[in-house]
Structures are given as C-alpha cells and as structure tokens.
Amino acid sequence: MRGRQLRRAAICLLVGVAAMPVTACASGQEAVERPTAVRDNGPRTDSDIERRAAEKAALDAYSGYLAASRTAGLRSDPRSPELSRFLGDPLLTRVRVSIREAKEHGAMRTGTFKSDPTVTAVSLDARPATVEIQDCLDTTGYRLVYAKDKRSVPGSGGGRHLSTATATRYPDGRWLINYGATHRDQPC
C-alpha cells in the first residue's frame, strides 16, 4: 500500500513540476536558464511591446515556479513562501499537496531536471490575460527517493515528456502559473 501511495505522490510531483530550466553547477549551486529573447529590429507597435512584456513576465514566472517547486521538494517543505510568489491556484494547492504527501510517506525529491520552454499562445484580450507555455521536460536526473536511505521510490523514474503550463495575470499585475501538466503519453 505504501509503495502505491508513494508512486502516486511521485506522479503528482512530476505533474506539479511541469518543467524547469534549472541545471546543477559543479559547485552545487543552481542556475536558472532563461530563454533568450528573439530580437526583431523592425518597428514595434504598442501591442507588440505589450505582448513581448507578457511573454517575458510569463516565462519569468514559469522559471520561478520551477525553481521554487524544486527547492520546496528538496526540502520537503510544502509551505515554502517561494511557491506563492510564482504559483496560483489550483496549481499551488496541487504542488503543496504533492510535496506534503511525499513527506508524509518518508520521501523527498533529489537531483535536477532540464527544460526549454516556449510561449505557444498569448491572450491579452482574455479576462484574465493568459500566456500558454509548452516545454520538453527532462526529468531523467530528478528522482523521488526515501529520505532515510536515499533509495529510489519504485515507479518514480523520470524521462522526457511534453509539459504545458498557463500563466495568468492577476488583478495585482503579477503573472502566476496556475495550471501545469506533464503529458507522459507524449515523449519529446
């Protein structure tokens, strides 16, 4: 029974961490890779500028979400204040529940994963405004392990899968990631 619950927690954590542009450095520190902006030297309209600003803010929120989720998972801390800086509900609650369930079952996350997110849609006229993000999440180096002895939790192995997320602009102007999913049936 415990193994099945941990596998479920592992899947929830993978879903909660839809993608992450974080890599480990030799010093043990982490660096968040941000996608490089495409530069267009042509004339820009106000709507182009607003769209580019929304894309940048959404990708920054996405990178922050991934880094905060990874750090909270490594610490087994579902109440990490960093989570609420980058996540909104319902995803915030899902991530917190996944981390709490893993902790309750004596498990924690370890390692790193890689991503290369791209913006697939921007809806600034929608209320609220949203930005859709797609990513190829590589979780081969990111594992759910038993905290006591660092053995891998059965069924919690990673891979490369398509992930999607939605960034939403909240009334206070912040862009938060409020939806994220890993599509295990769609390798990339």
Side-chain angles (χ1 to χ4, degrees):
M1 183 70 161
R2 179 179 174 189
R4 186 179 316 136
Q5 290 172 330
L6 280 174
R7 278 192 292 280
R8 187 174 65 115
I11 291 168
C12 288
L13 279 174
L14 284 174
V15 168
V17 181
M20 178 172 175
V22 174
T23 57
C25 300
S27 67
Q29 294 178 328
E30 296 173 2
V32 176
E33 300 170 1
R34 290 198 181 8
T36 42
V38 176
R39 297 192 186 251
D40 178 7
N41 294 329
R44 295 205 174 110
T45 64
D46 287 343
S47 62
D48 289 339
I49 293 168
E50 186 178 354
R51 178 184 175 88
R52 289 184 193 276
E55 288 176 358
K56 182 185 179 326
L59 287 171
D60 287 347
Y62 185 72
S63 293
Y65 146 57
L66 296 170
S69 295
R70 181 176 179 275
T71 299
L74 289 170
R75 293 182 186 152
S76 296
D77 181 9
R79 296 315 247 167
S80 172
E82 287 296 300
L83 292 173
S84 60
R85 272 190 63 204
F86 301 104
L87 289 153
D89 277 322
L91 186 58
L92 175 60
T93 298
R94 278 186 26 217
V95 169
R96 285 181 168 164
V97 166
S98 296
I99 293 169
R100 181 181 47 84
E101 285 179 350
K103 181 179 180 178
E104 287 173 356
H105 291 99
M108 61 179 277
R109 281 281 172 197
T110 186
T112 61
F113 54 88
K114 301 172 189 172
S115 78
D116 185 22
T118 59
V119 171
T120 58
V122 177
S123 300
L124 296 177
D125 293 334
R127 295 293 171 239
T130 60
V131 174
E132 301 297 325
I133 298 169
Q134 182 173 299
D135 198 356
C136 180
L137 179 61
D138 181 354
T139 61
T140 53
Y142 192 60
R143 303 178 310 136
L144 185 65
V145 298
Y146 293 106
K148 193 174 194 175
D149 59 13
K150 304 299 187 248
R151 284 183 305 120
S152 290
V153 173
S156 66
R160 292 175 53 91
H161 300 91
L162 175 69
S163 295
T164 54
T166 301
T168 300
R169 184 171 50 204
Y170 281 72
D172 64 1
R174 294 182 306 152
W175 285 89
L176 300 175
I177 306 299
N178 64 347
Y179 170 82
T182 297
H183 307 277
R184 294 193 148 287
D185 60 332
Q186 298 180 35
C188 54

